[in-house]
Amino acid sequence: MQDYDVLIVGGGHAGAQTAVALRQRGYEGSVAIVCEEAAPPYERPPLSKEYLSGDRSADDILIRPPAFWAQAGIDLHTGRRAVAVEADARRVTLGDGATVGYRHLVWAAGGAPRRLTCAGHALAGVHSVRTREDVDRMRAELASVDRVVVIGGGYIGLEAAAALAKAGKRVTVVEALPRVLARVAGEILSRFYEAEHRAHGVEVRLDTAVECIEGSGGRAAGVRLHGGELLPCEMVIVGIGIVPAVRPLRDAGAGGDNGVDVDEHCRTDLPGVFAIGDCAAHVNRYAGGARVRLESVQNANDQAAVVAHALTGSPKPYDAVPWFWSFQYDLRLQTVGLSTGHDEVVVRGEVASRRFSLVYLKEGRIVALDCVNTVKDFAQGKALILRDDIPREVLADSSRPLKQAVPAAV
Ligand SMILES: Cc1cc2nc3c(=O)[nH]c(=O)nc-3n(C[C@H](O)[C@H](O)[C@H](O)COP(=O)(O)OP(=O)(O)OC[C@H]3O[C@@H](n4cnc5c(N)ncnc54)[C@H](O)[C@@H]3O)c2cc1C
């Protein structure tokens, strides 16, 4: 393989968008993406939503049409994995032993799904939801599946549960913590989604730990819980987070203990090496200045733009307001800001109406909004993040649009 001016490892949202943004900014050097997945870059969020339910096809979720990459002068090396980085020699080794030199390396390798370690974790019928191939495998089995156990009540687990419940499967969600979405949302939202899933026929088991997965003839046949109860099923979906895919960078000397640490321009401490997206830990003022690793399309795309700016001579530090979305049933959740560590919640609208927003505050400062079927609050609430001067009664009054209630802020 030839050497490149910019070599991008990973063809997910962050990697693909880096290449696109470089060309949009007029970058004329050689650019390549090396990605271990066989498919050209595609959107990941639909995997647990419309792609799982069959409402969108593989073509519908491509980030760009297949012909785009060659037309834009971006070499796409799919089905190839980067296994080692030599930072001083500016060279990457691929799984087949080939080496590729670079001037700038953009590490955008995302993460691998965290696996269970208990007995039965590798049985047929046990799935994670990270790649299109994962979901293709699941869909190929669905016709012979009646009962599904979803392990993990985070967004991906709940979205998969919603899609499969809508498809008529009998679904049980098993969550080790006392509430679903515990790591990413406040209690009110957790209880709301718990109730919604129950109303749609999903069994939700909280405070429940998995002992092992039991098999029959090499296939998963049930999930055994701590305490001995067996949940019989034909399919198990494991949604318990990701492990950042950074081993080659760490072996090359890059710092970080949760992914790879980057500065405000997404530079690692290796010369010429950037890291972006799910695998990059950065200091974020919306997290109170803490170093965080965000797993969202917003973060992947905005960090890609930061790298494209840095490589085209107009550096622009990363300072984007985090946002995220989730679709379950007919509920469109949009989140802006980071609610971690909040100490107060203002409810805007009636939770029972299934159209409401939650405004999270920390020490009197608005840190996040969770907006359920309230698109306007999401759009207008962005400008409120980090404000500490908005009266609570104004936030709570859903009859007044946020932009009217707070003219100075929007
Ligand atoms: C099912 C699901 C639903 C989601 N829903 C939402 C949502 O609704 N909203 C939202 O904002 N975010 C959502 N996310 C998160 C979002 O998709 C991720 O934050 C985003 O994809 C991160 O982009 P990335 O480029 O950093 O990583 P990825 O998209 O994971 O891309 C990394 C790529 O690098 C490849 N790779 C890894 N290691 C190597 C290697 N050594 N060599 C070569 N290639 C390698 C991987 O195979 C992968 O193709 C969802 C994620 C999943 C899995």
Side-chain angles (χ1 to χ4, degrees), residues 9-15 34-37 44-45 47-49 80-82 107-111 129-130 156 159 245 276-278 295-297 300 324-325:
V9 173
H13 284 273
V34 169
C35 187
E36 68 175 333
E37 285 190 68
R44 222 165 278 285
L47 294 183
S48 50
K49 310 176 181 72
R80 304 190 79 174
R81 179 177 170 77
W107 192 267
V129 193
R130 183 72 195 177
I156 290 175
E159 287 179 348
I276 57 172
D278 282 13
E295 295 173 14
S296 69
V297 170
F324 186 83
W325 73 93

Side-chain angles (χ1 to χ4, degrees), residues 41 100 107 132 142 152 161 163 211 258 313 315 324-325 362 375 387:
V100 197
W107 192 267
R132 212 180 78 190
L142 276 178
E211 184 70 37
N258 174 22
F324 186 83
W325 73 93
K362 186 176 179 186
V375 179
R387 298 272 306 227

Side-chain angles (χ1 to χ4, degrees), residues 230-252:
L230 181 71
L231 303 177
C233 62
E234 296 79 42
M235 177 179 279
V236 179
I237 297 175
V238 182
I240 54 171
I242 62 164
V243 179
V246 292
R247 177 52 47 209
L249 272 197
R250 296 297 308 281
D251 288 348

Side-chain angles (χ1 to χ4, degrees), residues 5 8 70 81 90 124 168-169 179 212 222 224 249 271 310 322 326 356:
D5 294 311
I8 300 166
R81 179 177 170 77
R90 298 205 177 206
K169 308 299 174 193
R179 58 186 176 94
C212 66
R224 177 79 61 190
L249 272 197
S326 173
F356 62 96

Side-chain angles (χ1 to χ4, degrees), residues 266-330:
C266 298
R267 293 177 296 218
T268 68
D269 47 21
L270 299 175
V273 181
F274 297 81
I276 57 172
D278 282 13
C279 66
H282 63 280
V283 173
N284 192 309
R285 72 186 174 106
Y286 297 99
R291 187 173 284 283
V292 290
R293 212 172 41 70
L294 297 180
E295 295 173 14
S296 69
V297 170
Q298 167 275 316
N299 177 67
N301 285 341
D302 286 336
Q303 291 194 328
V306 164
V307 171
H309 274 267
L311 292 180
T312 51
S314 52
K316 201 172 143 198
Y318 184 65
D319 189 35
V321 186
W323 58 268
F324 186 83
W325 73 93
S326 173
F327 296 153
Q328 296 168 48
Y329 308 109
D330 58 344

